[in-house]
Amino acid sequence: VTQARDAPAGAVDPLQRLTKLLARLPGIGDKSAMRLALAILRTDAPYALALAEAIGSIHASVRECSVCCDLSADPVCPRCQDPRRDDTTVCVVAQPQDRIAFDRAAAYRGRYHVLHGVLDPLAGIGPNALRIEALLRRLEPREGGPSPVREVIVATSPNVEGDATALYLARLLLPLGLSVTRIASGVAVGGELEYADTTTLTRALHDRRPL
Ligand SMILES: [Zn+2]
């Protein structure tokens, strides 16, 4: 860590400290980090404090929904609590931002399940690193009857890892007598779901096919 010329000995320049912290975020290079740090410095102090508080409390205030594993402020998220959603269909996505993309498209009225990743053996990410056990629990019979789930739609991105994850889930779920489908690759091959526009997502969901 280098010191600013006029900083006291041993102290880190505050602007440089903030810049370095911001530069650790994805998609933020050194120049963007410096620009953000300067922008925060130029805002009023209450904003800077509110930003710091929001960042500082995020770990304590956001958890995983005990049903679908999506991020939630409550033990059970609003999507799982919504009685108007269709219980017979579960759409499996890799990340919370993919769920947000589907919700924005508003083409889907069933339930969701968030894996928090995709299978990636080269990166050491196996089935145990994903929320697959929580998914299986949702498919088990419950008191008073069988699970209402009839179809699991695998909506991972159409790339190598997304395809491997879909095949793994199909092998796991088909023997349970469920219909397992995969969204159509209307999303550009190798593309990321979260960046797909709503028309593309709606079509990809509509044109899903059995695995
Ligand atoms: Zn949930």
Side-chain angles (χ1 to χ4, degrees), residues 2-3 14 18 22 28 38 52 64 75 80-81 99 108 113 115-117 139 144 150 161 163 171 193 197 203 207-208:
T2 52
Q3 290 172 17
L18 180 56
L22 290 168
I28 309 284
L38 286 170
E64 283 184 26
C80 287
Q81 287 191 49
R99 194 277 302 161
Y108 179 68
H113 194 83
L115 295 174
H116 291 276
L139 308 174
R150 292 284 157 269
E161 294 82 16
D163 289 346
R171 273 201 294 270
L193 268 189
D197 63 87
R203 195 162 357 104
D207 295 343
R208 65 186 186 271

Side-chain angles (χ1 to χ4, degrees), residues 6-190:
D6 50 356
V12 178
D13 173 48
L15 203 52
Q16 206 167 68
R17 176 173 172 239
L18 180 56
T19 301
K20 279 182 179 280
L21 287 169
L22 290 168
R24 280 167 56 177
L25 295 169
I28 309 284
D30 288 342
K31 277 183 190 166
S32 304
M34 175 56 84
R35 204 161 48 233
L36 285 173
L38 286 170
I40 292 167
L41 180 63
R42 286 177 189 133
T43 60
D44 51 306
Y47 167 79
L49 283 175
L51 178 65
E53 200 281 322
I55 293 171
S57 65
I58 193 97
H59 281 276
S61 55
V62 178
R63 64 181 101 192
E64 283 184 26
C65 167
S66 61
V67 179
C68 72
C69 304
D70 197 0
L71 299 178
S72 170
D74 301 308
V76 177
C77 79
R79 267 88 43 204
C80 287
Q81 287 191 49
D82 188 348
R84 293 163 302 176
R85 283 190 172 273
D86 175 14
D87 278 327
T88 65
T89 314
V90 173
C91 178
V92 178
V93 295
Q95 299 290 357
Q97 55 265 40
D98 301 327
R99 194 277 302 161
I100 293 168
F102 273 104
D103 254 15
R104 224 178 11 232
Y108 179 68
R109 296 301 303 163
R111 305 287 176 183
Y112 290 101
H113 194 83
V114 181
L115 295 174
H116 291 276
V118 282
L119 293 180
D120 190 354
L122 291 178
I125 301 171
N128 290 338
L130 309 179
R131 307 300 187 274
I132 291 174
E133 249 176 69
L135 174 64
L136 291 175
R137 272 201 303 277
R138 301 177 69 175
L139 308 174
E140 284 170 2
R142 14 182 115 171
E143 277 176 70
S147 157
V149 180
R150 292 284 157 269
E151 179 183 0
V152 173
I153 304 168
V154 185
T156 48
S157 289
N159 49 34
V160 175
E161 294 82 16
D163 289 346
T165 308
L167 287 176
Y168 179 86
L169 288 176
R171 273 201 294 270
L172 204 62
L173 303 179
L174 284 172
L176 303 178
L178 292 159
S179 163
V180 183
T181 54
R182 176 97 164 98
I183 55 163
S185 45
V187 190
V189 172

